[in-house]
Amino acid sequence: MAIAKAERLMNLALCLLGTRRPLSKRELRGSIEAYLEAGSDDSFNRMFERDKDDLRELGLVIETVDNLEGDTGYLARRDSNRLPPITLDAEEAAALGLAAKVWQQARLAGAASGALQKLRAAGMPEDVEPYAAHSALEPRIPVHEVAFEPLMLACRDRRPVVFDYRKATAARPAPRLVEPWALECWRGHWYLAGWDRDRGAERVFRLSRITGKVRTRSGKFTAEVPDVVTVRETVASWAGESADRSAFIRLRSGAGYPLRAKAISVRELEDGWDELEIPYGHGIDAWLVEFGPDVVVLEPAELRADVVERLRAVAKG
């Protein structure tokens, strides 16, 4: 569905940019296959108005002209939609090249490579590689989750989605109806931040816990979408990275290396356990549950109660 819409928008943009005179709705409908397939005039009019608004939102300047017969015509003049010459210095060229390399292992690799070629054709210097001396350390954003692409498109198009999600404490996945805001990669894992309609609250979902197919739903968002900074802070918070105090746990010797890496202090005990002081932030209870019997929470009491409650939920299935 997203591909068909993108193709329709591209065809409409080409028609409006390629004409020397304003084209009426009737002429545009006869020139674009997707419009010919519209079931009725009302269906076509709604589709055309949405497409016109989308192109304008993307930055295309579309003029509306009334001819002598009273018909309304549309065109996009090339001089109004022409970008100025692209000039990049060495640092800007390096930043763009580095950004393209980041996506080499993701589904966006083709788009990133194509964009880089177009920029070089427009004047980006090919021989400027300030990061070449550090090529042994190349950035990568791995995207293995099947849910990534449909969620990325849903975030772009502002379309609600439905998917089955398995919480860390649940034995089986449950359906979630979400208004997707943004995708964030945090410490090698992808997260979706959005508005959970059923719970009426902001939520963050780890993509590796989404099972089955992501399905889009019609209709507009019902909740206000926050700015990018707020979404990133939410992802960091729900990933357990926003710690404002400490927690003390017992960890079995030789286990829980991710916890040891985050520990503020470690004290070796004599019974095959160690006592760790770790940062205590939102979401840490769900993370501790993943280590099962190798972790015992000592304090604070509310964290211990949260972990016990999650373990009981898992035991009940």
Side-chain angles (χ1 to χ4, degrees):
M1 183 182 298
I3 295 176
K5 180 180 179 180
E7 183 178 355
R8 193 174 71 240
L9 289 175
M10 180 63 72
N11 289 334
L12 177 58
L14 291 174
C15 283
L16 295 175
L17 287 167
T19 182
R20 294 184 178 181
R21 62 175 180 81
L23 297 176
S24 65
K25 283 187 179 181
R26 177 178 52 81
E27 291 173 311
L28 289 170
R29 186 177 187 181
S31 303
I32 298 175
E33 183 178 358
Y35 291 158
L36 287 172
E37 297 175 353
S40 62
D41 291 341
D42 289 340
S43 178
F44 159 69
N45 287 329
R46 288 193 300 269
M47 187 184 303
F48 173 75
E49 293 299 327
R50 285 197 303 267
D51 291 348
K52 180 160 56 70
D53 291 341
D54 288 343
L55 287 177
R56 282 174 169 164
E57 187 175 347
L58 290 171
L60 190 69
V61 180
I62 302 175
E63 297 183 21
T64 302
V65 181
D66 293 330
N67 59 24
L68 297 177
E69 289 75 21
D71 294 333
T72 301
Y74 306 89
L75 80 160
R77 300 185 191 277
R78 290 183 177 271
D79 54 353
S80 301
N81 291 281
R82 184 178 292 115
L83 292 175
I86 298 176
T87 56
L88 301 171
D89 58 29
E91 292 184 354
E92 291 171 333
L96 289 171
L98 189 61
K101 281 192 171 185
V102 166
W103 289 103
Q104 283 184 3
Q105 291 182 346
R107 292 293 297 272
L108 297 181
S113 178
L116 190 59
Q117 291 177 4
K118 291 177 182 178
L119 286 169
R120 281 179 170 164
M124 188 179 85
E126 297 187 27
D127 55 347
V128 177
E129 298 282 352
Y131 51 84
H134 308 285
S135 58
L137 298 175
E138 291 193 355
R140 291 289 186 270
I141 297 183
V143 180
H144 304 297
E145 293 85 355
V146 178
F148 176 83
E149 187 170 5
L151 288 176
M152 178 190 67
L153 296 174
C155 291
R156 183 198 66 184
D157 298 336
R158 298 287 176 86
R159 296 179 65 87
V161 294
V162 176
F163 53 78
D164 291 333
Y165 187 75
R166 180 185 58 81
K167 295 175 60 176
T169 57
R172 288 180 292 274
R176 309 296 283 265
L177 176 56
V178 179
E179 298 174 9
W181 292 342
L183 290 164
E184 292 287 340
C185 186
W186 191 264
R187 297 191 180 276
H189 298 289
W190 279 99
Y191 296 87
L192 169 70
W195 182 261
D196 190 320
R197 284 187 177 179
D198 294 331
R199 289 153 184 80
E202 179 180 350
R203 287 291 186 269
V204 170
F205 306 91
R206 186 163 157 175
L207 264 61
S208 60
R209 292 182 180 148
I210 294 178
T211 61
K213 186 178 181 181
V214 175
R215 303 174 298 280
T216 58
R217 289 291 182 265
S218 60
K220 298 181 179 179
F221 281 11
T222 59
E224 182 179 357
V225 180
D227 56 37
V228 175
V229 175
T230 302
V231 171
R232 288 178 178 174
E233 291 174 352
T234 302
V235 172
S237 174
W238 280 81
E241 297 295 332
S242 300
D244 53 4
R245 48 184 168 160
S246 295
F248 292 87
I249 64 172
R250 292 182 67 196
L251 181 64
R252 197 184 304 275
S253 299
Y257 289 103
L259 289 172
R260 296 180 186 276
K262 293 174 64 69
I264 300 172
S265 64
V266 179
R267 183 168 66 91
E268 187 176 347
L269 304 178
E270 297 179 353
D271 54 354
W273 293 78
D274 298 325
E275 183 177 308
L276 280 66
E277 179 184 0
I278 61 173
Y280 177 19
H282 186 85
I284 191 67
D285 54 334
W287 193 36
L288 291 175
V289 168
E290 296 182 4
F291 295 94
D294 291 330
V295 170
V296 177
V297 178
L298 300 177
E299 56 179 273
E302 63 265 26
L303 176 59
R304 180 183 177 89
D306 290 340
V307 171
V308 170
E309 182 180 357
R310 286 178 175 273
L311 290 172
R312 286 174 176 168
V314 173
K316 290 179 181 179

